[in-house]
Amino acid sequence: KFINIVTRPEGGAVVQWSSIENRIYVLERSPVLLQGYTPIATITNQTGQTALEFIDSEAQGPANRFYRLRLQP
């Protein structure tokens, strides 16, 4: 579950989501809602944090961006 997606003043976006220990998350981004998602990060929660975040430094300008998470087995 996404907690927050915030545009940074210096450029890029911070994407935050709820997480479970020892799970692997793949964050994907697309310019359109229903297709064209590309993996931009794979993050493993090894420390038991209840939330993780990724800074999408390529998210520049006013273009639409949609994010989704995939949980790896």
Side-chain angles (χ1 to χ4, degrees):
K1 170 180 158 182
F2 286 107
I3 297 171
N4 206 4
I5 301 173
V6 179
T7 302
R8 300 178 341 150
E10 64 272 19
V14 178
V15 182
Q16 299 173 322
W17 63 91
S18 300
S19 66
I20 300 170
E21 187 173 9
N22 296 321
R23 300 307 294 261
I24 301 169
Y25 298 88
V26 178
L27 180 64
E28 300 177 330
R29 179 184 61 217
S30 175
V32 294
L33 182 60
L34 299 177
Q35 63 188 18
Y37 283 86
T38 304
I40 59 171
T42 300
I43 300 173
T44 303
N45 182 354
Q46 297 177 337
T47 60
Q49 297 169 283
T50 58
L52 295 174
E53 74 176 30
F54 176 76
I55 297 174
D56 184 2
S57 59
E58 295 181 12
Q60 301 292 327
N64 285 336
R65 284 171 205 86
F66 297 92
Y67 295 93
R68 72 180 181 189
L69 281 170
R70 284 189 304 111
L71 189 58
Q72 293 292 315

